[in-house]
Amino acid sequence: MEYREMGGKRVSLLGFGCMRFPEKRSRIDEDAAASMLEAAYAGGVNYFDTAWVYHNDRSEDFVGRFLSSKPRDSFFVATKLPCWLVKKPADAERIFAEQLRRLRVDRIDFYLLHALNAHSWDEMERLGVVDVLARLKESGSIGQLGFSFHDGYPTFERIIRARPWDFCQIQYNYMDVDYQAGRAGYELARALGVPVIVMEPLRGGSLARLPKSVTGPFRSLTPDASDASWAFRWLAGQDGIRVVLSGMSSADQVAENLRVFDKPAALSARELAAFDEVAVEIRSRVRNRCTGCGYCMPCPSGVAIPWNFAVWNGWGMYENAGEARWNWHNKDFADRRADRCVSCGQCVPKCPQGIDIPADLARARAELDGIKRTRRV
Ligand code: SF4
Ligand code: SF4
């Protein structure tokens, strides 16, 4: 296992993301998940990342029970404050105390404000929650204080410059260099000396099972290397990254990841070029040219036009049926799906890409409705 330094701690480059354990009847399959954690721990993983909400609020307790069997100085546990549940500073204190209890520790080694965006950051500042967490750090109950992030780069810059963070956690992979914080965010964190933890290194599993038609550049260089190993090596080659979180959901994934992170080989110039070629191939598979600019919005019928096209284009690029179905049937978007479109045509002249929006919404709907049920990856 490769290790990197983060705030004076020696953390494993592979971190165990505890949000995709195997399940049985909608509960964590504890026997299978404990075996996976045990294998990862034995293989040198010492960073375990959970959150209040993972597995319907059950991940922390399960991970806490597993870690309580290990010497306290042999692992680091990370968890997150569910900012959306915090309405006053006392809520943050109450939730934190409960997390200590669930995790069976008296210190959270790495504590994050969960999924910050412009709105939640403003709320956390307004409520003084960051001050509460800073005091918990001063008292030793928090080892290092950071945040995970889901919003655009300008917001990332605003947050990371707001205070001296110990670390940040961003979605980053070779296909998301221009998404959310992206490469610019990574470079800014590096320039500010803020260690980066990466989440979604495989883009929800999509980069682990690429359509065969796009992987020629990888296969021609290393015929037997998995798609996932390519994605991981791309991250391992960047020294600002201290932990790559993988939400492993099977023993096979644990075994393969341990192999990849044992000694991740540096990328050659030809290999780096292969990423560019594969990315071009993947992007060429989009269904339409929607950039997500939102100029077509609002739709009088409530259709979330950019979201519908993002799901459709994601399906086109990655053929990840599990992810596409999960997105398409996301109940939060049930009343904003393409089936609400009444073809009034109001949005069409507003689209700078010249997309025939009602026609493409109909195509998206037909295609996404037809995806066969499969396990979410
Ligand atoms: S054509 Fe469809 S998506 Fe466009 S504004 Fe009308 S109802 Fe909304
Ligand atoms: S205006 Fe066109 S490109 Fe922009 S979000 Fe709407 S459909 Fe996509």
Side-chain angles (χ1 to χ4, degrees):
M1 176 58 56
E2 176 156 330
Y3 294 89
R4 294 196 176 166
E5 188 273 340
M6 184 157 70
K9 306 296 180 190
R10 187 170 169 266
V11 292
S12 54
L13 182 56
L14 173 62
F16 205 126
C18 300
M19 81 296 276
R20 291 191 183 124
F21 290 128
E23 292 188 339
K24 257 188 196 164
R25 289 180 223 95
S26 301
R27 303 285 286 255
I28 296 171
D29 179 343
E30 296 201 354
D31 290 342
S35 303
M36 290 163 52
L37 287 170
E38 197 67 68
Y41 179 82
V45 172
N46 68 7
Y47 192 97
F48 297 86
D49 169 88
T50 182
W52 179 269
V53 291
Y54 291 170
H55 284 285
N56 293 322
D57 299 359
R58 295 194 181 100
S59 174
E60 287 177 327
D61 179 69
F62 171 68
V63 171
R65 275 185 279 135
F66 170 78
L67 292 176
S68 66
S69 68
K70 309 298 176 201
R72 183 64 183 92
D73 61 358
S74 69
F75 64 84
F76 300 107
V77 65
T79 194
K80 314 180 186 80
L81 179 71
C83 301
W84 54 94
L85 297 181
V86 177
K87 308 298 176 205
K88 54 185 182 306
D91 291 341
E93 291 168 5
R94 174 182 53 77
I95 289 169
F96 185 80
E98 173 63 10
Q99 289 175 307
L100 289 177
R101 193 193 67 74
R102 287 180 178 182
L103 286 162
R104 295 159 174 79
V105 291
D106 57 11
R107 179 190 72 248
I108 308 282
D109 302 302
F110 294 87
Y111 197 67
L112 303 88
L113 290 142
H114 197 171
L116 282 185
N117 54 35
H119 171 72
S120 59
W121 172 242
D122 288 344
E123 272 300 282
M124 293 303 98
E125 278 207 307
R126 186 180 69 78
L127 293 171
V129 169
V130 183
D131 298 334
V132 170
L133 301 183
R135 283 198 294 278
L136 286 168
K137 185 183 165 192
E138 268 169 36
S139 73
S141 299
I142 289 175
Q144 301 191 33
L145 181 59
F147 64 95
S148 67
F149 180 78
H150 291 288
D151 204 334
Y153 174 80
T155 301
F156 179 79
E157 180 166 6
R158 187 157 67 87
I159 295 172
I160 200 169
R161 288 188 186 281
R163 69 178 308 281
W165 297 103
D166 297 318
F167 65 103
C168 63
Q169 185 166 308
I170 60 173
Q171 175 165 337
Y172 194 42
N173 55 65
Y174 67 87
M175 288 303 295
D176 284 330
V177 289
D178 295 319
Y179 180 65
Q180 295 187 2
R183 191 192 296 279
Y186 166 76
E187 293 295 353
L188 176 63
R190 206 156 161 255
L192 295 172
V194 179
V196 173
I197 295 180
V198 166
M199 56 185 164
E200 297 294 356
L202 301 177
R203 228 181 180 278
S206 293
L207 301 184
R209 273 177 292 277
L210 291 166
K212 283 198 172 41
S213 64
V214 307
T215 55
F218 288 163
R219 295 292 98 79
S220 67
L221 293 173
T222 49
D224 298 328
S226 67
D227 295 344
S229 71
W230 276 90
F232 284 138
R233 285 179 60 215
W234 185 85
L235 293 164
Q238 305 184 52
D239 60 7
I241 295 171
R242 308 302 161 81
V243 178
V244 176
L245 293 173
S246 178
M248 294 170 260
S249 54
S250 71
D252 286 349
Q253 286 174 8
V254 175
E256 188 194 354
N257 289 357
L258 289 174
R259 272 195 299 277
V260 173
F261 283 90
D262 184 23
K263 280 195 189 81
L267 293 166
S268 67
R270 283 180 67 200
E271 286 176 322
L272 282 169
F275 284 102
D276 294 337
E277 291 169 40
V278 168
V280 167
E281 287 291 327
I282 292 173
R283 292 198 178 97
S284 75
R285 295 167 57 91
V286 291
R287 295 293 194 256
N288 72 10
R289 299 183 306 279
C290 177
T291 61
C293 68
Y295 293 149
C296 52
M297 296 291 283
C299 157
S301 297
V303 180
I305 300 167
W307 175 84
N308 280 273
F309 289 155
V311 175
W312 190 37
N313 284 325
W315 162 242
M317 286 193 287
Y318 299 105
E319 285 181 10
N320 184 339
E323 183 184 53
R325 269 190 64 85
W326 190 83
N327 284 328
W328 186 238
H329 295 287
N330 181 343
K331 61 179 175 8
D332 292 342
F333 283 91
D335 55 358
R336 288 180 270 178
R337 271 200 296 266
D339 40 291
R340 290 291 178 106
C341 175
V342 296
S343 297
C344 70
Q346 283 185 34
C347 54
V348 176
K350 299 184 202 162
C351 177
Q353 302 298 323
I355 295 170
D356 183 343
I357 293 173
D360 271 11
L361 285 172
R363 291 171 60 211
R365 180 184 172 192
E367 196 171 348
L368 292 166
D369 275 348
I371 298 172
K372 289 197 172 48
R373 183 173 294 280
T374 179
R375 190 170 163 273
R376 188 186 177 218
V377 292

